[in-house]
């Protein structure tokens, strides 16, 4: 069952406060869709025709929306985070394993930069491979010294409490009360002259292999956490989301990558080993779209390399739209689905 949201009045007051401050054979080939040409906008500037995090078309009046880098907000994903704010405005979300068998979200924003998002939590070593492909800046509460060193060595810029746009909601308990106004964060930085790379190999729904029927799916990260999805109304609904009512992520596709987990080399305050998701190499992939599932393989040469997907028949593309990526451990995790 979906977790009950907080009353609307509570959400509104909090927002105002913060603003003020199984499987079958899927080996059939897929064709590669050509990218639309760039278009001219006001002032003669060139605007890329699709968004890098969704593959969706860019309209001429959205040119100002590209005058900033990709922002990734690290969000808590436990009952203590309810209600999460801002997931409905994200272009893409990556769910990753953290200590204690729990998960944390990396919510990507580019085509639109909202106001308040959160609760904002700390980074992990896994985030280097997650955010590097699009040169994203990270919005975070901080990190362990070892993780900060890795993030800095990778050339990743991050913003935390004490910088413009951050505020605490005193109606919530710490550490689940830090929020960030992404519009304010974005106002302090500029994108530069390079468009972010496409995060996924975008394509068209008609290019997908047939796959098998899959109307429900459960991504089990550990014995303590499973994310449940159901295909309904043309999209995927997270049945155990912590998002505020009406602010859920609008998933068109759920992409599961089976990944290896290592040890980040330190313990959390409770004495749990902190895992590190390995995002270099290859593994099994499951693409859920349109109520069907296509099996494939993912590969990534370097931490900052784009993700490649394939089937036995050739390249696998992701239908343009909003994608939720599940980084499910190959050992200790599991993925099940039903027709």
């Amino acid at each position: 069952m979906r977790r009950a949201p907080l009353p609307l009045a509570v959400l509104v007051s909090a927002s105002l406060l913060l603003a003020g401050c199984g499987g079958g054979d899927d080996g059939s080939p897929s064709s590669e869709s050509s990218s639309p040409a760039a278009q001219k906008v006001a002032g003669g500037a060139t605007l890329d025709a699709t968004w890098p995090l969704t593959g969706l078309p860019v309209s001429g009046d959205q040119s100002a929306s590209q005058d900033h880098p990709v922002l990734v907000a690290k969000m808590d994903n436990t009952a203590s985070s309810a209600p999460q704010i801002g997931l409905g405005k994200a272009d893409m979300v990556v769910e990753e394993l953290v200590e204690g068998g729990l998960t944390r979200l990396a919510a990507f924003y580019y085509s639109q930069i909202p106001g308040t998002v959160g609760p904002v939590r700390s980074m992990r070593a896994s985030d280097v491979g997650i955010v590097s492909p699009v040169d994203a800046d990270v919005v975070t509460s901080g990190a362990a010294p070892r993780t900060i060193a890795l993030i800095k060595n990778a050339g990743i810029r991050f913003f935390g409490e004490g910088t413009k746009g951050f505020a605490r909601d005193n109606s919530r308990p710490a550490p689940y009360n830090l929020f960030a106004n992404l519009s304010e964060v974005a106002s302090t930085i500029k994108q530069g002259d390079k468009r972010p790379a496409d995060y996924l190999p975008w394509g068209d729904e008609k290019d997908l292999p047939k796959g098998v029927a899959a109307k429900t799916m459960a991504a089990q990260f550990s014995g303590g956490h499973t994310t449940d999805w159901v295909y309904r109304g043309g999209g995927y609904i997270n049945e155990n989301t912590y998002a505020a009512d009406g602010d859920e992520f609008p998933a068109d596709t759920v992409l599961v990558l089976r990944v290896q987990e290592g040890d980040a080399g330190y313990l959390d305050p409770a004495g749990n080993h902190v895992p590190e998701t390995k995002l270099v190499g290859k593994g099994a992939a499951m693409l859920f779209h349109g109520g069907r599932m296509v099996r494939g393989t993912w590969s990534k040469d370097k931490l900052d390399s784009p993700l490649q997907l394939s089937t036995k028949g050739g390249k696998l593309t992701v239908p343009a739209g909003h994608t939720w990526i599940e980084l499910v451990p190959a050992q200790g995790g599991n993925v099940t689905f039903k027709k």
Side-chain angles (χ1 to χ4, degrees):
M1 295 294 292
R2 175 180 160 76
R3 297 181 177 91
L6 265 65
L8 179 60
V10 175
L11 297 179
V12 171
S13 61
S15 298
L16 290 175
L17 171 65
L18 292 167
C21 314
D25 183 6
D26 309 304
S28 56
S30 60
S31 60
E32 183 176 353
S33 298
S34 58
S35 299
Q39 54 184 304
K40 295 292 183 180
V41 295
T46 300
L47 179 68
D48 289 287
T50 58
W51 294 109
L53 301 179
T54 64
L56 295 171
V58 176
S59 63
D61 61 355
Q62 292 176 308
S63 57
S65 298
Q66 297 190 31
D67 190 26
H68 55 78
V70 174
L71 295 179
V72 175
K74 290 306 304 293
M75 287 196 193
D76 189 79
N77 195 42
T78 67
S80 298
S81 68
Q84 296 162 331
I85 296 175
L87 280 181
K89 296 292 179 61
D91 285 335
M92 184 181 75
V93 175
V94 177
E95 184 173 10
E96 60 187 285
L97 181 71
V98 293
E99 57 276 10
L102 304 175
T103 65
R104 195 153 289 179
L105 306 181
F108 285 67
Y109 299 87
Y110 187 61
S111 66
Q112 55 181 331
I113 300 295
T116 299
V117 303
V120 175
R121 297 300 304 278
S122 56
M123 301 177 289
R124 295 293 182 272
S126 309
D127 293 322
V128 175
I130 291 173
V131 309
S132 293
V134 287
D135 296 322
D137 290 350
V138 183
V139 175
T140 176
S141 64
R146 184 181 299 230
T147 300
I148 289 178
L150 289 172
I151 294 289
K152 288 183 174 179
N153 288 339
I156 298 169
R157 193 165 43 182
F158 60 93
F159 299 85
E161 188 174 14
T163 57
K164 183 178 180 180
F166 284 78
R168 293 272 177 181
D169 178 357
N170 293 327
S171 68
R172 300 188 187 214
Y176 309 101
N177 65 345
L178 181 63
F179 290 79
N181 185 310
L182 295 191
S183 295
E184 292 188 21
V185 174
S187 71
T188 67
I189 47 182
K190 294 292 182 181
Q191 165 60 25
D193 58 0
K194 184 180 180 182
R195 173 192 184 270
D198 284 344
Y199 197 94
L200 293 170
W202 301 114
D204 194 281
E205 185 177 48
K206 64 179 176 57
D207 297 327
L208 278 180
K210 183 179 179 180
V212 296
K215 295 297 178 67
T216 65
M217 185 270 282
Q220 181 182 359
F221 284 79
S222 69
H225 179 80
T226 299
T227 301
D228 297 309
W229 295 93
V230 59
Y231 180 71
R232 185 185 302 139
Y236 288 86
I237 297 171
N238 181 349
E239 292 192 297
N240 51 350
T241 183
Y242 296 108
D245 193 23
D247 201 9
E248 301 90 347
F249 180 75
D252 300 302
T253 299
V254 179
L255 175 62
V256 177
L257 307 181
R258 302 306 301 272
V259 295
Q260 300 297 322
E261 296 290 344
D263 192 325
Y266 64 97
L267 305 178
D268 73 355
N272 297 306
H273 286 273
V274 177
E276 179 180 356
T277 299
K278 304 298 184 180
L279 279 177
V280 172
K282 61 182 179 179
M286 303 168 74
L287 193 156
F288 293 83
H289 181 86
R292 305 191 69 80
M293 185 277 290
V294 177
R295 291 188 184 275
T297 301
W298 69 268
S299 63
K300 196 170 159 68
D301 296 331
K302 299 183 298 182
L303 287 174
D304 61 353
S305 297
L307 191 69
Q308 302 296 326
L309 299 172
S310 62
T311 66
K312 294 178 181 179
K315 182 177 179 180
L316 175 64
T317 58
V318 180
H322 293 83
T323 302
W324 183 294
I325 301 176
E326 303 279 27
L327 301 180
V328 179
Q331 286 82 38
N334 193 25
V335 181
T336 58
F337 64 91
K338 295 180 181 179
K339 296 181 180 180

